[in-house]
């Protein structure tokens, strides 16, 4: 099969993991591209961690275009669903593998699988778990292609885009109450911060037991 993996942001967290997925697809003709204009067509397009909605002209170049969205669709469409679910206190995060559609996160669902969180994982550890499920679903889809999906059912909800204010720490609150914010923060690009006596400070946490 001819397969393209598209990530439209070279700075995305998933880029470092893509070679592992490509290794799992080595029996196929597979490429990793960073712009939809380079998605020339074929059997399957896997849009992973894409920030832009794919145009119909791109979707029509493939027999199927799949997206991995980490929420229990149709609930949790939109931006930063993992971060929002962690902030809600969820201990199981679903990844839904769906067909890309003209309307965001609205395509048929092929597979759905959950990954557990124990409440101590930081952002990078959460992303590693998310990728493992994403990889498993993509490989399963390719192995069983073509797959019959099913329509999304139920009430749809949307998460809004994270803003800098969402990473603001309340220093009058307890560390335990603010810990989930610290867990999901991207310390390099969007760190948590707080204000004290008119000055702004960055606040990071690291897992000292990781190594």
């Amino acid at each position: 099969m001819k397969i393209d993996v598209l990530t439209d942001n070279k700075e995305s967290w998933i880029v470092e993991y893509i070679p592992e997925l490509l290794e799992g697809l080595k029996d196929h003709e597979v490429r990793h591209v960073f712009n939809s204009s380079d998605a020339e067509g074929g059997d399957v397009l896997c849009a992973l961690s894409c920030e832009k909605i794919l145009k119909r002209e791109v979707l029509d170049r493939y027999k199927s275009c799949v997206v991995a969205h980490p929420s229990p669709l149709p609930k949790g469409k939109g931006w930063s669903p993992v971060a929002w679910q962690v902030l809600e206190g969820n201990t199981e995060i679903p990844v839904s593998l769906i067909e890309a559609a003209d309307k965001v996160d609205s395509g048929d669902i092929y597979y759905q699988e959950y990954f557990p969180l124990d409440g101590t994982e930081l952002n990078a550890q959460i992303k590693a778990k998310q990728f493992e499920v994403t990889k498993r679903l993509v490989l399963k889809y390719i192995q069983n292609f073509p797959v019959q999906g099913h329509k999304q059912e139920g009430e749809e909800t949307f998460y809004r885009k994270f803003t800098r204010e969402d990473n603001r720490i309340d220093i009058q609150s307890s560390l335990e109450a603010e810990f989930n914010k610290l867990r999901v923060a991207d310390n390099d690009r969007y760190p948590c911060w707080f204000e004290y006596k008119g000055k702004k400070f960055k606040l990071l946490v690291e897992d000292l037991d990781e190594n």
Side-chain angles (χ1 to χ4, degrees):
M1 294 172 60
K2 186 175 181 181
I3 302 167
D4 285 338
V5 178
L6 170 65
T7 308
D8 63 9
N9 178 6
K10 290 185 178 181
E11 302 300 318
S12 169
W13 66 271
I14 206 169
V15 169
E16 67 173 296
Y17 292 103
I18 294 297
E20 186 177 335
L21 175 61
L22 300 185
E23 176 65 21
L25 296 170
K26 63 182 179 181
D27 292 336
H28 303 276
E29 181 183 345
V30 60
R31 301 184 310 151
H32 186 203
V33 297
F34 295 95
N35 194 303
S36 61
S37 62
D38 295 322
E40 300 171 349
D43 294 295
V44 177
L45 175 68
C46 299
L48 302 181
S49 195
C50 287
E51 299 177 354
K52 300 174 183 177
I53 298 176
L54 294 173
K55 296 180 179 179
R56 173 49 55 184
E57 63 186 63
V58 177
L59 302 180
D60 288 342
R61 296 172 193 164
Y62 298 85
K63 296 177 183 177
S64 175
C65 301
V66 294
V67 176
H69 185 80
S71 83
L73 293 171
K75 294 185 180 298
K77 297 180 179 182
W79 296 88
S80 307
V82 172
W84 287 119
Q85 288 174 86
V86 170
L87 291 177
E88 290 167 356
N90 292 12
T91 57
E92 285 192 323
I93 307 296
V95 178
S96 301
L97 190 73
I98 66 172
E99 182 70 17
D102 296 320
K103 189 178 178 181
V104 64
D105 302 330
S106 63
D108 289 357
I109 297 176
Y110 293 115
Y111 300 118
Q112 192 176 82
E113 186 177 326
Y114 289 73
F115 62 90
L117 296 176
D118 63 21
T120 66
E121 300 93 344
L122 303 184
N123 184 61
Q125 297 162 325
I126 294 171
K127 294 301 186 186
K129 289 189 172 187
Q130 179 182 342
F131 173 75
E132 283 303 313
V133 173
T134 299
K135 179 184 70 172
R136 191 155 54 243
L137 295 184
V138 169
L139 295 181
K140 182 179 179 181
Y141 180 76
I142 296 300
Q143 182 180 2
N144 293 286
F145 186 81
V147 178
Q148 181 65 45
H150 64 272
K151 299 293 183 184
Q152 297 185 25
E153 298 179 354
E155 179 184 0
E156 65 179 6
T157 62
F158 289 85
Y159 288 120
R160 63 173 174 82
K161 189 172 183 178
F162 246 59
T163 68
R164 186 169 182 269
E165 192 63 26
D166 292 311
N167 283 334
R168 182 173 185 153
I169 297 296
D170 180 4
I171 60 173
Q172 301 301 321
S173 184
S174 69
L175 179 59
E176 182 178 21
E178 297 291 275
F179 186 61
N180 280 341
K181 282 187 182 180
L182 293 162
R183 288 176 63 203
V184 299
D186 182 331
N187 290 338
D188 296 321
R189 300 168 64 192
Y190 309 110
C192 285
W193 62 282
F194 64 91
E195 190 169 358
Y196 182 66
K197 293 187 176 181
K199 295 183 66 175
K200 294 181 175 66
F201 298 87
K202 181 169 65 174
L203 184 62
L204 315 176
V205 294
E206 295 180 351
D207 184 349
L208 297 182
D209 292 332
E210 187 174 23
N211 297 318

